[in-house]
Amino acid sequence: MNKCPRLLLRFSSNLIKTHCIKLSGGLPGTLTRYSLASQPRYFSSGKDPSRDLQDEFENFEDDVEPNYQDVNADEITGGDPELIKMLNLCQMEINMLAQSGAQVPLSLNTEQWCELVKIQSKMQRVRFLKFLWLKEIKRKNHKRKKLINHEKYLEAVANRGPKKRRDEIPTNAPMVYGLSETSLVHRIRDVEMNRFYNYKLLQAMQFGPNILVDCGYESFMNARELNLCAKQLLFMWSENRDCNFPYHLTFCNLKKDSPVLKKLRKTLVGIDTDPTFPFNYTEKNYTELYPKENLVYLTPHCTETLKYNGNDIHIIGAMVDKSYCEPISLAKAKKDGIRYAKFPLDAHLNWKMGVKSLTLNQCLAIMNDIKDGRDWPYAFRHVPRRKLENTLINEATKEIRDTRHTTKSIKERYRRNLVYDLLLPNKQN
């Protein structure tokens, strides 16, 4: 029973090595990934990890006096007099907030100062500082949990004692399962699982259907929206890799110095260093990659509903609009002269709250279900339940909804002095 997964993982690893030369030269007929300079890899120096972790935690726990005046103004402002004035204003505001006991971080790096001086509203600056403070507290708690778990591990190893050899274990002793004891199940390491999942993406690059992700909306998003966009793109790539028959994702209009790509590189380390890493991106527009008659732009601002066709190449706009919701994707599709459509949400779901827009990973999950032959009600299981009043619309639930009196309707009638209508059902409203 243990030979099948081992042979499958070994087979997928050999196929990845076979495709290494093909991927390093680029996929024919599609695009070529950027090949940046190889970054050096760092390994453990042989020191005691518990000592390094203890020192790092103690340094983080020290009561550091915040100093917001010692900053590199030239690197932050670039000599711009307007940014210099804004930097001085931000330093004065953050000092006042820190003295009043507000939730502000202890220190800010150069990148955070650059984002802070670009914010014009004082309320938005306060919210941004609170966001940085929450990140600092989260990082502090993570280091604390890391140290506690390491101490528990050392205590468990000390209590377990030295490991016995196989010939020293009595034959009638109960079997103990675990990674450090005898076990019937072969351990499948994370590296082997990653190779197996990446092999499925390599198959999709050659034989699977295509979906384009338009990353050309960075100028319309602020710093917070860019962070959310990078996180959703990461979830999209990861969830697509877990599917049985994934899509071939191509991230177009994505520049190599893009802030979104910089954030993705922090998690997906092999984007530029590993030639077999299944992540394709290009600066080209989608009209330069495929003919216009095969492209369909998915936008929630149009009236045409999507009729899935396996020969079409669908485009998902990588935009997170928290501050305002304008039909930018629809205008872009009309400008490029391609078709556009939206999901039939109104026909199958009873929307309750919020705008009718979904995250990037939710859109891809819906498309994966439709590609596998599922219907729309099943595919819309990825829509958050908090946004819906009822799961599905049918005649029975519609009649109940029209005849019942909710708390909101009672309060509205009380405000209008129409409570007696509830007591007199025969009276016309």
Side-chain angles (χ1 to χ4, degrees), residues 365-403:
I366 292 174
M367 292 299 297
N368 269 314
D369 286 342
I370 296 300
K371 171 180 61 66
D372 295 339
R374 305 287 187 172
D375 55 356
W376 287 112
Y378 180 85
F380 287 153
R381 61 192 172 94
H382 302 285
V383 179
R385 299 296 98 181
R386 67 180 184 275
K387 294 186 176 182
L388 306 178
E389 185 174 355
N390 297 311
T391 305
L392 298 175
I393 291 181
N394 50 49
E395 294 299 329
T397 57
K398 187 175 180 180
E399 292 179 0
I400 296 175
R401 183 190 59 185
D402 294 340
T403 55

Side-chain angles (χ1 to χ4, degrees), residues 18-294:
T18 306
H19 293 341
C20 178
I21 301 177
K22 296 183 180 180
L23 289 178
S24 60
L27 295 176
T30 56
L31 53 104
T32 302
R33 297 189 297 115
Y34 292 115
S35 178
L36 303 182
S38 299
Q39 301 179 0
R41 297 180 179 269
Y42 301 95
F43 301 93
S44 176
S45 58
K47 299 181 181 179
D48 186 8
S50 61
R51 184 69 259 172
D52 295 340
L53 191 61
Q54 181 72 26
D55 296 340
E56 184 182 10
F57 181 72
E58 290 177 354
N59 295 333
F60 194 81
E61 283 288 322
D62 291 339
D63 294 332
V64 182
E65 186 68 24
N67 183 13
Y68 305 107
Q69 303 298 329
D70 189 11
V71 296
N72 191 352
D74 295 335
E75 187 176 358
I76 295 173
T77 61
D80 190 355
E82 296 295 332
L83 292 180
I84 293 176
K85 294 180 181 179
M86 182 60 68
L87 177 61
N88 296 331
L89 177 62
C90 293
Q91 289 175 338
M92 183 172 58
E93 286 180 355
I94 194 173
N95 277 314
M96 294 177 61
L97 291 172
Q99 293 175 5
S100 62
Q103 297 172 345
V104 293
L106 294 177
S107 61
L108 285 83
N109 55 30
T110 304
E111 182 180 357
Q112 293 171 350
W113 276 112
C114 293
E115 296 179 3
L116 185 62
V117 297
K118 294 179 182 179
I119 302 176
Q120 300 297 328
S121 174
K122 179 181 178 181
M123 196 63 189
Q124 291 182 359
R125 288 195 294 269
V126 173
R127 292 175 180 174
F128 180 68
L129 291 174
K130 183 179 179 181
F131 167 72
L132 296 179
W133 175 80
L134 291 174
K135 288 182 62 177
E136 190 177 73
I137 296 299
K138 184 178 180 180
R139 185 169 62 252
K140 180 178 179 180
N141 293 335
H142 176 70
K143 292 183 179 180
R144 181 185 293 109
K145 292 179 181 178
K146 198 173 180 181
L147 179 62
I148 293 174
N149 292 335
H150 185 71
E151 292 177 351
K152 290 181 179 180
Y153 170 74
L154 294 178
E155 183 180 357
V157 171
N159 296 333
R160 186 172 54 198
K163 184 179 179 181
K164 296 181 180 180
R165 296 189 308 176
R166 187 176 297 274
D167 54 357
E168 297 177 354
I169 301 176
T171 56
N172 58 349
M175 183 170 292
V176 180
Y177 293 96
L179 296 178
S180 59
E181 304 291 344
T182 58
S183 177
L184 292 176
V185 183
H186 174 67
R187 180 183 179 185
I188 301 178
R189 301 181 182 272
D190 294 338
V191 177
E192 297 174 346
M193 294 304 301
N194 284 330
R195 290 175 181 173
F196 174 71
Y197 287 133
N198 290 344
Y199 171 67
K200 293 196 298 183
L201 291 183
L202 295 178
Q203 279 186 321
M205 289 180 184
Q206 295 183 342
F207 309 108
N210 295 277
I211 275 190
L212 304 179
V213 183
D214 184 12
C215 301
Y217 296 96
E218 295 181 354
S219 58
F220 299 97
M221 294 184 287
N222 54 28
R224 179 184 174 223
E225 293 171 348
L226 287 173
N227 290 329
L228 293 176
C229 181
K231 185 179 294 185
Q232 292 181 16
L233 290 178
L234 178 62
F235 289 159
M236 172 189 286
W237 181 85
S238 178
E239 293 177 3
N240 181 62
R241 193 179 70 156
D242 294 340
C243 296
N244 294 329
F245 303 98
Y247 273 103
H248 173 207
L249 292 181
T250 303
F251 299 85
C252 56
N253 293 324
L254 185 61
K255 300 180 180 180
K256 57 183 179 181
D257 56 348
S258 167
V260 173
L261 187 58
K262 291 180 181 178
K263 298 180 186 302
L264 288 175
R265 287 194 185 104
K266 296 180 181 179
T267 306
L268 305 178
V269 184
I271 290 181
D272 300 313
T273 58
D274 187 2
T276 62
F277 194 80
F279 187 92
N280 290 333
Y281 65 96
T282 178
E283 282 189 356
K284 295 182 179 180
N285 193 22
Y286 41 82
T287 55
E288 302 176 16
L289 301 176
Y290 299 98
K292 292 184 178 181
E293 56 270 14
N294 295 339

Side-chain angles (χ1 to χ4, degrees), residues 404-419 422:
R404 69 185 178 183
H405 299 293
T406 61
T407 306
K408 183 178 179 180
S409 64
I410 293 175
K411 289 182 179 180
E412 182 67 20
R413 288 174 177 271
Y414 179 79
R415 188 179 66 84
R416 297 183 181 181
N417 296 326
L418 296 177
V419 185
L422 301 179

Side-chain angles (χ1 to χ4, degrees), residues 287-306:
T287 55
E288 302 176 16
L289 301 176
Y290 299 98
K292 292 184 178 181
E293 56 270 14
N294 295 339
L295 300 177
V296 178
Y297 211 112
L298 300 179
T299 171
H301 304 289
C302 63
T303 57
E304 291 78 6
T305 57
L306 177 64

